[in-house]
Amino acid sequence: MRFHKRNLKKRVTGSAFCFALMLLVFSTITVLSTQSVYAQPQQDSTAQTTDDGAAATTDAGASPEVIAQGKELFEGNCAQCHAVHKKVVGPALVGVESRWPDRAAVINFIKYPEKVITGGNDYAAKLYEEYGQMMPNHDFFEDAQIASILDYIKTVPVPTTVVDNGGGQTGTPQEGGAANSGLLLGIVIALIAILLVVALVLVVLTSVLSNYLKKEKLEEDEDAVVTQSIFDFKAFFTSPAFIGVVLFVLVAVGAKELFAGLWTIGVQQGYAPTQPIKFSHKLHAGFYEIDCKFCHSGVEKGKSAVIPSANVCMNCHGELRRGSPEIQKIYNAIEKNEPIQWVRVHNLPDLSYFNHSQHVKVGGIECQTCHGEIQEMEVVQQVSLLTMGWCINCHREWDVNAKGNDYYDNLIKLHNSTSKEPLKVEDIGGLECSKCHY
């Protein structure tokens, strides 16, 4: 068998170059796709454990129906001030029954805390002294309902990680992003390690092949076999082709990041600012099913949905949960005759015009269409992009709500005479610049 120097060197060099090029392209695609997948914010619901009691058990001995009822009651009535494994406004509730003589004593304290504290109970008095406030009466609960809450508390597992962002809030989008960045770094390191292993294998193969060729008697003319190292790493890594591939990858990654950054200018999707009062839409709009229009009374009347004033809050909290520290902030604002400084979540540029009544009252659009599942949010965040393209796309796809509206009768007849498709918003001028821009 004869191995000609020129042909053998071209074949080995070409194969190595193609293999390395394939690995580089694969690595680039993997990194970019991984980055796009893991760039989305994720939420972590882990929390910090406390030494306020023993770890909760996973089986409270109660039926799943009772546990589910207890969870619903806890999230709707207790989660504002209590967590199971950490102190919030009130003490952590893990092991709560172990700190009382029996369950009946716990239930009695939850229903009538003031009565128990003033009645001389040492532990209740200690709690009042430590936290400086008294829990409101929960005498509207039946004993069986409170018992279901206590059973649910026993089933809440101990968190496996510790996350605390301050202020008692855990699990922000930034945490998920940090974890994903670590995963992305690990993938990049793994790919680099694979490239090094492949390079080592190539070196070993060329060395073995070179030693084999040295043992052969080959001609010493132009077609002589190779008697020296076949693969020249210096020539490979300094070749115009390799440098061009590396530059292409770097330019592609840089261009991708540049355009991704440009597209996000002015986009606040995921924005969830801290509000001066911890208002839970999940509790009010979700658990208690309060209609959005009750508080945001302008949504069917004008451009703005309006932020409810303190007197709207007092429609309910003049009597309910008056002892809550968050409710006290409303009382303080009223006493000082100062508005509550709510932080706007959804911001449009001044050059854009948006009318809530046109969309909600006339168009029949539900709040969740633009604002997401607001009834599931403890902290409100911007779900939609709210970009010009996002609005235009909606106008192209949304059917005009003409039911029961005589204004559109003639227009519908004219449209149906020329088209079989439903009348879209774009068909009535929904894409005209002056509709949305002053």
Side-chain angles (χ1 to χ4, degrees):
M1 180 184 295
R2 286 182 173 273
F3 297 91
H4 296 284
K5 178 178 181 180
R6 182 178 300 172
N7 294 334
L8 183 60
K9 186 173 183 179
K10 285 184 177 180
R11 290 176 181 178
V12 175
T13 304
S15 300
F17 176 78
C18 292
F19 190 75
L21 178 61
M22 291 174 62
L23 283 177
L24 281 173
V25 173
F26 173 77
S27 302
T28 303
I29 295 174
T30 304
V31 171
L32 293 179
S33 61
T34 304
Q35 184 176 10
S36 63
V37 170
Y38 288 100
Q40 299 298 325
Q42 300 179 355
Q43 292 191 350
D44 191 336
S45 59
T46 55
Q48 184 176 0
T49 59
T50 69
D51 24 332
D52 232 301
T57 60
T58 57
D59 184 10
S63 66
E65 292 78 12
V66 172
I67 300 299
Q69 180 192 29
K71 180 180 180 181
E72 184 178 13
L73 292 172
F74 177 85
E75 292 178 348
N77 299 272
C78 310
Q80 290 287 342
C81 300
H82 293 281
V84 177
H85 294 288
K86 69 171 183 176
K87 296 180 181 179
V88 192
V89 177
L93 298 182
V94 59
V96 61
E97 292 188 67
S98 65
R99 302 191 286 274
W100 291 87
D102 50 37
R103 174 169 284 194
V106 182
I107 294 175
N108 186 54
F109 175 68
I110 294 174
K111 296 180 72 173
Y112 311 105
E114 183 177 2
K115 180 180 178 181
V116 175
I117 292 172
T118 58
N121 185 286
D122 293 338
Y123 179 66
K126 180 182 177 181
L127 286 176
Y128 177 69
E129 180 180 353
E130 180 179 354
Y131 291 93
Q133 56 183 322
M134 193 176 298
M135 181 173 65
N137 287 355
H138 288 76
D139 50 348
F140 52 87
F141 278 143
E142 297 178 359
D143 290 359
Q145 291 177 313
I146 298 178
S148 69
I149 295 176
L150 296 174
D151 289 332
Y152 163 69
I153 290 173
K154 291 182 178 181
T155 65
V156 179
V158 179
T160 55
T161 58
V162 178
V163 179
D164 193 349
N165 301 324
Q169 296 183 356
T170 60
T172 62
Q174 287 76 11
E175 292 167 347
N180 294 329
S181 298
L183 180 59
L184 178 61
L185 179 61
I187 293 175
V188 172
I189 294 175
L191 290 173
I192 294 175
I194 293 174
L195 286 173
L196 292 176
V197 171
V198 171
L200 180 61
V201 171
L202 288 174
V203 170
V204 173
L205 288 176
T206 54
S207 177
V208 171
L209 185 58
S210 177
N211 292 333
Y212 172 77
L213 293 176
K214 288 180 180 179
K215 298 178 182 179
E216 297 291 331
K217 295 181 179 180
L218 304 173
E219 299 176 1
E220 296 184 355
D221 55 8
E222 184 179 359
D223 294 331
V225 296
V226 180
T227 58
Q228 58 183 0
S229 178
I230 298 176
F231 188 75
D232 190 344
F233 281 96
K234 182 178 180 180
F236 171 73
F237 287 112
T238 58
S239 64
F242 178 81
I243 295 175
V245 170
V246 173
L247 289 177
F248 172 78
V249 172
L250 292 177
V251 171
V253 173
K256 183 260 182 186
E257 292 298 323
L258 175 62
F259 281 103
L262 292 176
W263 277 111
T264 58
I265 293 177
V267 178
Q268 295 178 310
Q269 189 177 31
Y271 177 55
T274 301
Q275 300 291 351
I277 297 177
K278 295 178 182 178
F279 180 88
S280 171
H281 278 77
K282 183 176 182 179
L283 174 65
H284 293 77
F287 183 79
Y288 289 116
E289 298 182 350
I290 299 176
D291 193 339
C292 300
K293 303 178 186 68
F294 179 77
C295 298
H296 302 284
S297 56
V299 74
E300 291 185 331
K301 302 176 182 179
K303 175 184 176 182
S304 174
V306 310
I307 300 298
S309 57
N311 68 299
V312 176
C313 303
M314 287 298 102
N315 286 333
C316 298
H317 291 294
E319 298 295 335
L320 299 177
R321 313 194 80 174
R322 299 180 61 176
S324 168
E326 298 300 317
I327 305 302
Q328 287 299 316
K329 295 178 181 179
I330 303 177
Y331 281 93
N332 294 337
I334 294 175
E335 291 173 358
K336 297 178 181 179
N337 195 26
E338 296 177 350
I340 301 171
Q341 301 297 322
W342 298 104
V343 180
R344 179 183 289 273
V345 178
H346 302 85
N347 299 281
L348 290 180
D350 293 338
L351 54 85
S352 299
Y353 175 83
F354 178 85
N355 190 301
H356 273 86
S357 64
Q358 179 68 27
H359 291 76
V360 177
K361 184 68 174 179
V362 180
I365 299 175
E366 297 292 336
C367 303
Q368 289 83 352
T369 303
C370 300
H371 296 293
E373 297 301 321
I374 199 77
Q375 74 278 5
E376 298 295 332
M377 297 183 188
E378 285 288 352
V379 179
V380 175
Q381 64 171 313
Q382 178 178 321
V383 175
S384 302
L385 288 173
L386 301 185
T387 59
M388 180 176 175
W390 179 82
C391 295
I392 288 177
N393 187 63
C394 185
H395 284 189
R396 286 171 174 164
E397 298 179 352
W398 196 271
D399 296 345
V400 173
N401 180 27
K403 184 178 180 180
N405 193 334
D406 298 339
Y407 178 85
Y408 293 106
D409 286 349
N410 293 332
L411 190 59
I412 291 292
K413 292 179 181 179
L414 180 62
H415 176 78
N416 291 341
S417 66
T418 59
S419 175
K420 295 182 180 180
E421 297 294 329
L423 183 67
K424 304 289 185 181
V425 177
E426 68 170 335
D427 297 325
I428 59 173
L431 301 186
E432 294 178 6
C433 302
S434 59
K435 296 289 185 181
C436 304
H437 298 292
Y438 295 96

